[in-house]
Structures are given as C-alpha cells and as structure tokens.
Amino acid sequence: MEKEQQIYEQQGMEEYIKYQVEHETQPFSPGPAFSFVKALEAVNTRLRELYPESEELFDVVLMTNNQEYIDQRLINTINHHQLRFCMTGGNHTYHTNLYLSADPVKVREALEEGIAAATMFTPEKITEVSETPLRVTFDGDGVLFSDEAENLFNEEGLEKFLENEKTHANKPLGHGPLKGFLEALGKLQKKFYGKGQRMDCPIRTYLVTARDEDISGIRAKNTLQSWGLEIDETYFLAGAPKGPILEKIRAHIFFDDKMSYVEEAAKMGIVACHVPYGKANRESQERD
C-alpha cells in the first residue's frame, strides 16, 4: 500500500478515499510479509490434516488505519490471493506473539507494551522463496536474548566480553523481545514431532549470530537449553558478514537488532526486520 500511503500523506484523506474506491476491484500487490504469511498458511494446512479438531494454528490479523474506506478492496485482495485473515483497526493492544509494521514508531510502542515486534523493510527486489517449509531466522543478542552481553562488548571491548561469557557460561542470558515468538514456533513444531514428523516438519528455525562457536557460543547454547527451546540450525559467525548464510537459508523472514545487518540482508533480496530493542537502539533513537 505504498502508493496509497503517499496519496494519503501528500494529497489528504479525500483523495485517498477517492483513489481506493476507484480501484476497489484492483487487488493490492504483495508486500514484504506476503511470502511469510503464505508459509504460515501452508503450516496451518498441514496442522489441520494432522489435528482436524485443533484450533492451535497460526492466526494472522491484518491491522490498518482508515479500514472502513478500504474494506472491500482488502476483501477482494484477500480472496484474490487466497489468503485467510482477520481484520481490525490500527490497534495492537491485545495479546499477540508477533507484530510487524513498516512504521517504526508503532513497533517501538508495541515493544514498550511487551509485545514482540519488528519493523519490516522492503528490498528493491525480493528473492523468491519456496512456500514450505516456513523458515524463520533470528539474531541472538537483542533479539532472542537480552542486550546485556552486547552492552558489555560495546562498553568494555572484546576481551572483557569473552571473559564475562566464560565466567557465566552456565548462567542463562536474559530473554529478548522475540523469545516468546520462538516459543510459539517450538510449540507448533512439537505437534508435528508428536506425529512422528520431526524430519518432515514444515517449520524450521535458525540462529545467525555474530558470536563465536566457542566461548560466547557456549553460553548462547546453554541459554536456549535452559529455556527448553530448540533451534534447528545455528550459525556462529564470529563477526563475519551474515549475508552469505542468509542467502543460503533463503528465510521467509530475518530478525536483527542492528540496522547494518538488516540493510545487508535487504541488499540480497532477503525480507529483514529491525528489532529496535536495547540500550544501543534507545541511544540511537535519542540522538535522532
């Protein structure tokens, strides 16, 4: 809805309404979350086959401002793309496992309410990905984990960081804003495992982190184990670029708290989301 948003911002509400009514039968084009949502629905299809009576599925809620003026066009778009959505106005105060928006202000508000949230960016050309399995990629510190270790690294350097990680190898890191979303994915994965489909599970999770595999990686692994959570594939890059690994994974969505990695991923056509969490991001926002 980028063109429509520009009309709203530059020409005002009346021109926006007029344009939407005139283009009511024209479906909206897919946005950056489109392939992610299609993959969620593919998981739901498999879940319904295995658990016909279960309501434990992905629920996708589409939230938009000025909904009353575009209801019919949204319905036509949803039907055209054969999607399943609930629709509501632009309020995210109810409980949700993940909130995505192109508006960083709304994302920060959601995070402040304790809701897992991230800002989506649209690559110039989105890499095509297969509909299944659903592939979700997380950064570690500031995303799955708190930013406590990252702050020590930024303030006191690599040597102090590694010393601290070695000393506290068996002390779990605090949880980050997207831990709950990983838990939700893991809960649904176990439904497939319970039917003997671990190897054919349509959900795969990845951890792609700048930590190394030895000292700091051990603490990350121990933290996940203490939470009772599994990651299907883990990549400890020791500060190397993330782009080549992300290109190999071809994830439907990638979360990182550093804009440099988000931008790197976007250049490769990967749908990347910024998680504006932690001290470094707060200080950046204050400077802005």
Side-chain angles (χ1 to χ4, degrees):
M1 294 178 63
E2 291 168 346
K3 181 177 182 179
E4 290 78 7
Q5 185 66 15
Q6 286 178 351
I7 292 171
Y8 175 71
E9 292 173 355
Q10 296 171 9
Q11 301 179 42
M13 176 64 82
E14 294 307 314
E15 287 299 316
Y16 172 82
I17 295 171
K18 180 182 175 183
Y19 182 88
Q20 296 287 22
V21 172
E22 288 176 350
H23 294 79
E24 194 172 86
T25 60
Q26 179 184 331
F28 290 113
S29 300
F34 185 84
S35 61
F36 174 56
V37 170
K38 291 291 283 186
L40 295 178
E41 293 199 342
V43 174
N44 280 351
T45 298
R46 291 277 303 277
L47 283 167
R48 289 189 185 98
E49 291 170 357
L50 295 174
Y51 300 92
E53 304 302 320
S54 176
E55 293 297 321
E56 203 165 26
L57 305 163
F58 287 114
D59 286 325
V60 182
V61 181
L62 179 63
M63 291 181 279
T64 177
N65 295 321
N66 308 319
Q67 181 185 337
E68 63 269 28
Y69 305 116
I70 57 172
D71 261 354
Q72 192 55 53
R73 193 176 179 195
L74 283 174
I75 291 168
N76 292 340
T77 301
I78 290 166
N79 292 335
H80 173 79
H81 292 297
Q82 298 180 318
L83 299 172
R84 294 172 182 266
F85 278 132
C86 302
M87 292 195 296
T88 183
N91 191 327
H92 51 71
T93 54
Y94 57 86
H95 175 73
T96 185
N97 297 106
L98 178 67
Y99 172 68
L100 298 173
S101 175
D103 186 339
V105 174
K106 289 182 179 178
V107 167
R108 286 195 292 270
E109 289 173 354
L111 284 171
E112 288 169 4
E113 293 175 19
I115 297 168
T119 308
M120 294 202 84
F121 293 87
T122 306
E124 286 187 17
K125 185 177 180 181
I126 299 175
T127 299
E128 288 188 18
V129 292
S130 60
E131 197 168 286
T132 188
L134 167 67
R135 296 178 297 281
V136 183
T137 305
F138 300 91
D139 176 37
D141 297 283
V143 176
L144 288 182
F145 314 129
S146 72
D147 64 334
E148 58 193 84
E150 193 172 90
N151 291 336
L152 183 64
F153 173 81
N154 291 335
E155 293 167 7
E156 301 192 37
L158 179 61
E159 189 175 333
K160 283 287 186 182
F161 165 77
L162 292 175
E163 180 184 325
N164 182 73
E165 293 302 283
K166 188 173 182 179
T167 302
H168 298 93
N170 294 315
K171 179 183 177 183
L173 290 155
H175 68 81
L178 264 65
K179 178 199 172 192
F181 182 52
L182 178 61
E183 287 176 332
L185 293 173
K187 188 176 182 181
L188 291 180
Q189 281 181 312
K190 287 177 181 175
K191 292 176 75 68
F192 290 97
Y193 301 166
K195 294 288 187 178
Q197 296 196 14
R198 177 178 284 269
M199 301 304 293
D200 193 33
C201 180
I203 304 172
R204 289 196 65 78
T205 55
Y206 303 81
L207 173 64
V208 178
T209 172
R211 286 172 173 261
D212 62 29
E213 193 162 5
D214 298 322
I215 297 173
S216 61
I218 289 171
R219 191 177 185 195
K221 290 177 182 176
N222 289 343
T223 297
L224 289 168
Q225 188 174 16
S226 74
W227 291 345
L229 296 178
E230 296 181 35
I231 291 281
D232 293 304
E233 294 184 35
T234 303
Y235 296 89
F236 294 104
L237 302 181
K242 295 184 179 182
I245 291 295
L246 294 173
E247 189 174 36
K248 175 186 172 184
I249 294 170
R250 298 177 76 83
H252 292 93
I253 197 164
F254 164 60
F255 300 98
D256 206 297
D257 68 317
K258 288 188 174 61
M259 274 303 302
S260 58
Y261 288 128
V262 171
E263 290 166 355
E264 179 185 355
K267 286 177 183 177
M268 306 184 82
I270 296 159
V271 175
C273 300
H274 180 236
V275 183
Y277 170 83
K279 183 177 179 182
N281 276 296
R282 285 195 299 273
E283 290 175 348
S284 176
Q285 290 160 23
E286 288 168 2
R287 288 194 297 272
D288 291 344

